[in-house]
Amino acid sequence: AFASSVGVLLTLRFMQGVLVGVVIGPAVSYIVEVSHHSIRGSMTGIIDIVRQVGYVLVFSVGSCGMSWRYTALICGLTTTVLPFLALFFYPDSPRWLVIHNKIDEAYKAIRFFHGDQYDVYLQFDTIYCNISKNNHGQNTTS
């Protein structure tokens, strides 16, 4: 929205594309790690649906007769800034916390994602057993 020339606009758009490419892999991994196994496939599929909804948002806002700068500003705030700020309120994945021996935080993260009624101990045991099995008895606190 604040680009001073076409070259700056194209450069920033290229950088945004690269950053999205870098972020999408860890984002999918995070979703897979925190979602319940019964909806894991659906959750990863939602990523594509949300991306398409974002395109519809941009086209809808852009067709309202605003300049491209206002369109970029509105869409940038709603699709980039707000989700980025929301990331500060999400805990690390329970799997990562278990690997780094942060057991209490892992329980809290499981409760955050699945709710108070969910059996966090069963989920924790599953995560711990999978990590132990994948490491074949190696130290998991590294």
PDB file of all heavy atoms in Angstrom, residues 62-79:
ATOM      1  N   GLY A  62     -11.435  -5.234  -3.692  1.00  0.00           N
ATOM      2  CA  GLY A  62     -10.948  -4.512  -4.868  1.00  0.00           C
ATOM      3  C   GLY A  62     -12.053  -4.080  -5.811  1.00  0.00           C
ATOM      4  O   GLY A  62     -11.912  -3.089  -6.540  1.00  0.00           O
ATOM      5  N   SER A  63     -13.165  -4.787  -5.815  1.00  0.00           N
ATOM      6  CA  SER A  63     -14.260  -4.429  -6.724  1.00  0.00           C
ATOM      7  C   SER A  63     -15.196  -3.374  -6.139  1.00  0.00           C
ATOM      8  O   SER A  63     -16.186  -3.008  -6.774  1.00  0.00           O
ATOM      9  CB  SER A  63     -15.059  -5.680  -7.085  1.00  0.00           C
ATOM     10  OG  SER A  63     -15.741  -6.165  -5.954  1.00  0.00           O
ATOM     11  N   CYS A  64     -14.890  -2.872  -4.966  1.00  0.00           N
ATOM     12  CA  CYS A  64     -15.737  -1.850  -4.330  1.00  0.00           C
ATOM     13  C   CYS A  64     -15.426  -0.442  -4.813  1.00  0.00           C
ATOM     14  O   CYS A  64     -16.003   0.522  -4.312  1.00  0.00           O
ATOM     15  CB  CYS A  64     -15.578  -1.914  -2.807  1.00  0.00           C
ATOM     16  SG  CYS A  64     -16.275  -3.391  -2.096  1.00  0.00           S
ATOM     17  N   GLY A  65     -14.498  -0.304  -5.737  1.00  0.00           N
ATOM     18  CA  GLY A  65     -14.188   1.009  -6.285  1.00  0.00           C
ATOM     19  C   GLY A  65     -13.082   1.750  -5.553  1.00  0.00           C
ATOM     20  O   GLY A  65     -12.816   2.912  -5.849  1.00  0.00           O
ATOM     21  N   MET A  66     -12.448   1.092  -4.595  1.00  0.00           N
ATOM     22  CA  MET A  66     -11.329   1.734  -3.887  1.00  0.00           C
ATOM     23  C   MET A  66     -10.072   1.673  -4.746  1.00  0.00           C
ATOM     24  O   MET A  66      -9.958   0.848  -5.633  1.00  0.00           O
ATOM     25  CB  MET A  66     -11.052   0.993  -2.577  1.00  0.00           C
ATOM     26  CG  MET A  66     -12.066   1.212  -1.516  1.00  0.00           C
ATOM     27  SD  MET A  66     -11.511   0.435   0.004  1.00  0.00           S
ATOM     28  CE  MET A  66     -12.551  -0.994  -0.009  1.00  0.00           C
ATOM     29  N   SER A  67      -9.125   2.510  -4.401  1.00  0.00           N
ATOM     30  CA  SER A  67      -7.835   2.446  -5.099  1.00  0.00           C
ATOM     31  C   SER A  67      -7.099   1.181  -4.684  1.00  0.00           C
ATOM     32  O   SER A  67      -7.416   0.567  -3.649  1.00  0.00           O
ATOM     33  CB  SER A  67      -6.992   3.675  -4.755  1.00  0.00           C
ATOM     34  OG  SER A  67      -6.492   3.568  -3.431  1.00  0.00           O
ATOM     35  N   TRP A  68      -6.106   0.794  -5.473  1.00  0.00           N
ATOM     36  CA  TRP A  68      -5.355  -0.421  -5.146  1.00  0.00           C
ATOM     37  C   TRP A  68      -4.605  -0.262  -3.828  1.00  0.00           C
ATOM     38  O   TRP A  68      -4.379  -1.234  -3.118  1.00  0.00           O
ATOM     39  CB  TRP A  68      -4.413  -0.794  -6.283  1.00  0.00           C
ATOM     40  CG  TRP A  68      -3.252   0.147  -6.482  1.00  0.00           C
ATOM     41  CD1 TRP A  68      -3.193   1.230  -7.292  1.00  0.00           C
ATOM     42  CD2 TRP A  68      -1.985   0.080  -5.813  1.00  0.00           C
ATOM     43  NE1 TRP A  68      -1.985   1.852  -7.183  1.00  0.00           N
ATOM     44  CE2 TRP A  68      -1.208   1.161  -6.278  1.00  0.00           C
ATOM     45  CE3 TRP A  68      -1.434  -0.769  -4.875  1.00  0.00           C
ATOM     46  CZ2 TRP A  68       0.084   1.407  -5.842  1.00  0.00           C
ATOM     47  CZ3 TRP A  68      -0.139  -0.525  -4.437  1.00  0.00           C
ATOM     48  CH2 TRP A  68       0.594   0.549  -4.927  1.00  0.00           C
ATOM     49  N   ARG A  69      -4.242   0.953  -3.473  1.00  0.00           N
ATOM     50  CA  ARG A  69      -3.528   1.173  -2.217  1.00  0.00           C
ATOM     51  C   ARG A  69      -4.423   0.866  -1.009  1.00  0.00           C
ATOM     52  O   ARG A  69      -4.002   0.222  -0.064  1.00  0.00           O
ATOM     53  CB  ARG A  69      -2.993   2.599  -2.130  1.00  0.00           C
ATOM     54  CG  ARG A  69      -1.865   2.858  -3.106  1.00  0.00           C
ATOM     55  CD  ARG A  69      -1.284   4.242  -2.906  1.00  0.00           C
ATOM     56  NE  ARG A  69      -0.333   4.578  -3.942  1.00  0.00           N
ATOM     57  CZ  ARG A  69       0.966   4.277  -3.893  1.00  0.00           C
ATOM     58  NH1 ARG A  69       1.451   3.639  -2.866  1.00  0.00           N
ATOM     59  NH2 ARG A  69       1.767   4.620  -4.875  1.00  0.00           N
ATOM     60  N   TYR A  70      -5.670   1.338  -1.046  1.00  0.00           N
ATOM     61  CA  TYR A  70      -6.600   1.037   0.048  1.00  0.00           C
ATOM     62  C   TYR A  70      -6.932  -0.457   0.091  1.00  0.00           C
ATOM     63  O   TYR A  70      -7.046  -1.050   1.159  1.00  0.00           O
ATOM     64  CB  TYR A  70      -7.881   1.866  -0.066  1.00  0.00           C
ATOM     65  CG  TYR A  70      -7.695   3.307   0.315  1.00  0.00           C
ATOM     66  CD1 TYR A  70      -7.943   4.309  -0.597  1.00  0.00           C
ATOM     67  CD2 TYR A  70      -7.265   3.655   1.594  1.00  0.00           C
ATOM     68  CE1 TYR A  70      -7.764   5.645  -0.253  1.00  0.00           C
ATOM     69  CE2 TYR A  70      -7.084   4.978   1.944  1.00  0.00           C
ATOM     70  CZ  TYR A  70      -7.333   5.966   1.021  1.00  0.00           C
ATOM     71  OH  TYR A  70      -7.155   7.278   1.370  1.00  0.00           O
ATOM     72  N   THR A  71      -7.085  -1.037  -1.085  1.00  0.00           N
ATOM     73  CA  THR A  71      -7.347  -2.475  -1.149  1.00  0.00           C
ATOM     74  C   THR A  71      -6.190  -3.242  -0.516  1.00  0.00           C
ATOM     75  O   THR A  71      -6.402  -4.153   0.294  1.00  0.00           O
ATOM     76  CB  THR A  71      -7.550  -2.928  -2.605  1.00  0.00           C
ATOM     77  OG1 THR A  71      -8.651  -2.212  -3.166  1.00  0.00           O
ATOM     78  CG2 THR A  71      -7.802  -4.410  -2.693  1.00  0.00           C
ATOM     79  N   ALA A  72      -4.960  -2.878  -0.861  1.00  0.00           N
ATOM     80  CA  ALA A  72      -3.784  -3.545  -0.295  1.00  0.00           C
ATOM     81  C   ALA A  72      -3.702  -3.334   1.212  1.00  0.00           C
ATOM     82  O   ALA A  72      -3.365  -4.257   1.963  1.00  0.00           O
ATOM     83  CB  ALA A  72      -2.512  -3.036  -0.970  1.00  0.00           C
ATOM     84  N   LEU A  73      -4.026  -2.142   1.667  1.00  0.00           N
ATOM     85  CA  LEU A  73      -3.971  -1.847   3.094  1.00  0.00           C
ATOM     86  C   LEU A  73      -5.004  -2.655   3.876  1.00  0.00           C
ATOM     87  O   LEU A  73      -4.686  -3.285   4.893  1.00  0.00           O
ATOM     88  CB  LEU A  73      -4.175  -0.346   3.327  1.00  0.00           C
ATOM     89  CG  LEU A  73      -3.956   0.159   4.737  1.00  0.00           C
ATOM     90  CD1 LEU A  73      -2.528  -0.094   5.181  1.00  0.00           C
ATOM     91  CD2 LEU A  73      -4.270   1.643   4.805  1.00  0.00           C
ATOM     92  N   ILE A  74      -6.230  -2.686   3.415  1.00  0.00           N
ATOM     93  CA  ILE A  74      -7.288  -3.431   4.094  1.00  0.00           C
ATOM     94  C   ILE A  74      -6.991  -4.926   4.090  1.00  0.00           C
ATOM     95  O   ILE A  74      -7.066  -5.596   5.127  1.00  0.00           O
ATOM     96  CB  ILE A  74      -8.656  -3.141   3.444  1.00  0.00           C
ATOM     97  CG1 ILE A  74      -9.081  -1.711   3.749  1.00  0.00           C
ATOM     98  CG2 ILE A  74      -9.712  -4.134   3.920  1.00  0.00           C
ATOM     99  CD1 ILE A  74     -10.275  -1.243   2.948  1.00  0.00           C
ATOM    100  N   CYS A  75      -6.634  -5.444   2.927  1.00  0.00           N
ATOM    101  CA  CYS A  75      -6.363  -6.884   2.838  1.00  0.00           C
ATOM    102  C   CYS A  75      -5.097  -7.268   3.598  1.00  0.00           C
ATOM    103  O   CYS A  75      -5.029  -8.338   4.194  1.00  0.00           O
ATOM    104  CB  CYS A  75      -6.263  -7.305   1.373  1.00  0.00           C
ATOM    105  SG  CYS A  75      -7.838  -7.136   0.508  1.00  0.00           S
ATOM    106  N   GLY A  76      -4.108  -6.401   3.584  1.00  0.00           N
ATOM    107  CA  GLY A  76      -2.883  -6.687   4.334  1.00  0.00           C
ATOM    108  C   GLY A  76      -3.118  -6.733   5.830  1.00  0.00           C
ATOM    109  O   GLY A  76      -2.586  -7.591   6.531  1.00  0.00           O
ATOM    110  N   LEU A  77      -3.935  -5.819   6.313  1.00  0.00           N
ATOM    111  CA  LEU A  77      -4.235  -5.812   7.752  1.00  0.00           C
ATOM    112  C   LEU A  77      -5.031  -7.044   8.168  1.00  0.00           C
ATOM    113  O   LEU A  77      -4.754  -7.655   9.201  1.00  0.00           O
ATOM    114  CB  LEU A  77      -4.999  -4.545   8.127  1.00  0.00           C
ATOM    115  CG  LEU A  77      -4.189  -3.260   8.161  1.00  0.00           C
ATOM    116  CD1 LEU A  77      -5.098  -2.058   8.397  1.00  0.00           C
ATOM    117  CD2 LEU A  77      -3.107  -3.323   9.223  1.00  0.00           C
ATOM    118  N   THR A  78      -6.024  -7.413   7.377  1.00  0.00           N
ATOM    119  CA  THR A  78      -6.894  -8.524   7.777  1.00  0.00           C
ATOM    120  C   THR A  78      -6.274  -9.889   7.537  1.00  0.00           C
ATOM    121  O   THR A  78      -6.589 -10.832   8.260  1.00  0.00           O
ATOM    122  CB  THR A  78      -8.247  -8.455   7.050  1.00  0.00           C
ATOM    123  OG1 THR A  78      -8.022  -8.468   5.643  1.00  0.00           O
ATOM    124  CG2 THR A  78      -9.011  -7.221   7.445  1.00  0.00           C
ATOM    125  N   THR A  79      -5.415 -10.013   6.551  1.00  0.00           N
ATOM    126  CA  THR A  79      -4.871 -11.339   6.242  1.00  0.00           C
ATOM    127  C   THR A  79      -3.434 -11.552   6.687  1.00  0.00           C
ATOM    128  O   THR A  79      -2.945 -12.679   6.648  1.00  0.00           O
ATOM    129  CB  THR A  79      -4.956 -11.622   4.721  1.00  0.00           C
ATOM    130  OG1 THR A  79      -4.139 -10.664   4.023  1.00  0.00           O
ATOM    131  CG2 THR A  79      -6.382 -11.555   4.229  1.00  0.00           C
TER     132      THR A  79
END
